[in-house]
């Protein structure tokens, strides 16, 4: 293999590797945070971020569903409901009834730090919903909480009129998540982070993490070509 080709291959590989490392390192800084109602299931008495929205989830009798108003960039950072997912404690005063099911419902309005400007989060609520056997988690919520607000895409925007306006808005200048976000300017998220956790940028462009992943694939390809040419040389 000619020395110039070897040097060029090494140079290109080094530049691509640097680009991949830069893209991957930038991913967390580029992640956008949203202020929204997150939805949670109880798994063995602990909270787990729901894999589907409350309109389609159909919990069984004895389940506990949680709703937490939070500021976060993804499901891993979202604040969990702070009340325990304890069905016995929530529904001990509601006897079983044929043809219906009992669902424990925890509504956590979040912290003052997560609240929109000018609003104060109400106190958390725990309820026991007794609903038809085929009812969804959204039906259970509606049975125990009034004044629910949804957007045109059926995204849950407000519980008990909280917040008064806005729906899954992007938050700028927020310094935390999981209950420690801030206010600041906001714009409507292009898609629902409560239906599917937000990953990367949601402003129509590819996320930094995605770009870093592409660069990493290019690096691997360049390395393979360089090794093949080296063997032939």
């Amino acid at each position: 293999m000619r020395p110039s080709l070897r040097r060029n291959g090494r140079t290109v590989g080094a530049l691509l590797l640097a680009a991949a490392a830069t893209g991957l390192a930038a991913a967390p800084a580029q992640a956008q945070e949203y202020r929204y109602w997150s939805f949670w299931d109880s798994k063995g008495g602990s909270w787990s971020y729901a894999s589907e929205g409350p309109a389609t989830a159909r919990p069984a009798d004895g389940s506990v569903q949680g709703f937490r108003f939070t500021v976060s960039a993804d499901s891993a950072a979202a604040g969990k409901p702070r009340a325990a997912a304890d069905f016995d404690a929530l529904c001990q005063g509601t006897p079983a009834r044929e043809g219906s099911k009992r669902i424990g419902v925890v509504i956590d309005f979040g912290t003052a730090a997560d609240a929109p400007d000018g609003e104060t989060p109400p106190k958390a609520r725990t309820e026991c919903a007794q609903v038809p056997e085929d009812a969804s988690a959204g039906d259970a919520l509606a049975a125990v909480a009034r004044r629910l607000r949804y957007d045109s895409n059926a995204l849950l925007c407000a519980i008990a009129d909280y917040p008064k306006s806005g729906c899954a808005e992007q938050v700028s200048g927020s310094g935390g998540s999981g209950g420690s976000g801030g206010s600041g300017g906001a714009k409507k998220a292009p898609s629902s982070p409560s239906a599917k956790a937000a990953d990367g940028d949601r402003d129509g462009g590819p996320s930094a993490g995605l770009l870093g992943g592409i660069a990493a694939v290019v690096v691997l390809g360049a390395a393979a070509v360089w090794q093949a040419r080296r063997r032939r040389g």
Side-chain angles (χ1 to χ4, degrees):
M1 184 176 184
R2 296 193 303 274
S4 59
L5 182 58
R6 184 181 297 112
R7 284 195 300 270
N8 290 339
R10 288 174 178 172
T11 301
V12 171
L15 290 173
L16 289 172
L17 183 58
T22 301
L24 292 172
Q30 295 296 323
Q32 300 297 326
E33 291 189 325
Y34 294 86
R35 180 184 287 114
Y36 68 103
W37 277 101
S38 59
F39 176 47
W40 301 80
D41 290 325
S42 60
K43 302 291 185 183
S46 60
W47 292 113
S48 176
Y49 201 87
S51 59
E52 59 182 313
T56 57
R58 301 196 179 278
D61 179 75
S63 299
V64 181
Q65 305 295 295
F67 298 84
R68 167 75 187 266
F69 194 71
T70 187
V71 171
S72 73
D74 54 41
S75 60
K80 298 179 180 181
R82 288 166 290 181
D86 187 341
F87 174 80
D88 292 335
L90 294 174
C91 291
Q92 60 181 351
T94 306
R97 190 170 62 197
E98 186 176 355
S100 67
K101 60 184 178 183
R102 295 168 299 163
I103 307 296
V105 179
V106 172
I107 306 172
D108 188 332
F109 293 88
T111 67
D114 287 342
D117 289 341
E119 296 201 49
T120 301
K123 292 182 179 180
R125 295 172 51 183
T126 58
E127 305 283 352
C128 184
Q130 193 156 46
V131 291
E133 292 179 331
D134 62 347
S136 68
D139 295 330
L141 175 64
V144 298
R146 302 298 179 187
R147 303 187 304 277
L148 305 179
R149 177 165 55 86
Y150 292 85
D151 73 356
S152 59
N153 296 314
L155 172 65
L156 179 62
C157 303
I159 299 176
D161 287 338
Y162 184 80
K164 290 182 173 58
S165 63
C167 192
E169 293 174 325
Q170 187 178 111
V171 179
S172 63
S174 57
S177 56
S180 60
S183 55
K187 64 180 180 179
K188 181 67 180 293
S191 57
S192 163
S194 64
K196 182 178 180 181
D199 60 345
D201 298 332
R202 287 187 176 275
D203 58 2
S207 69
L210 177 60
L211 293 176
I214 293 173
V217 171
V218 173
V219 169
L220 292 175
V225 171
W226 182 80
Q227 289 290 350
R229 289 178 175 176
R230 184 181 181 183
R231 286 194 295 269
R232 287 199 301 268

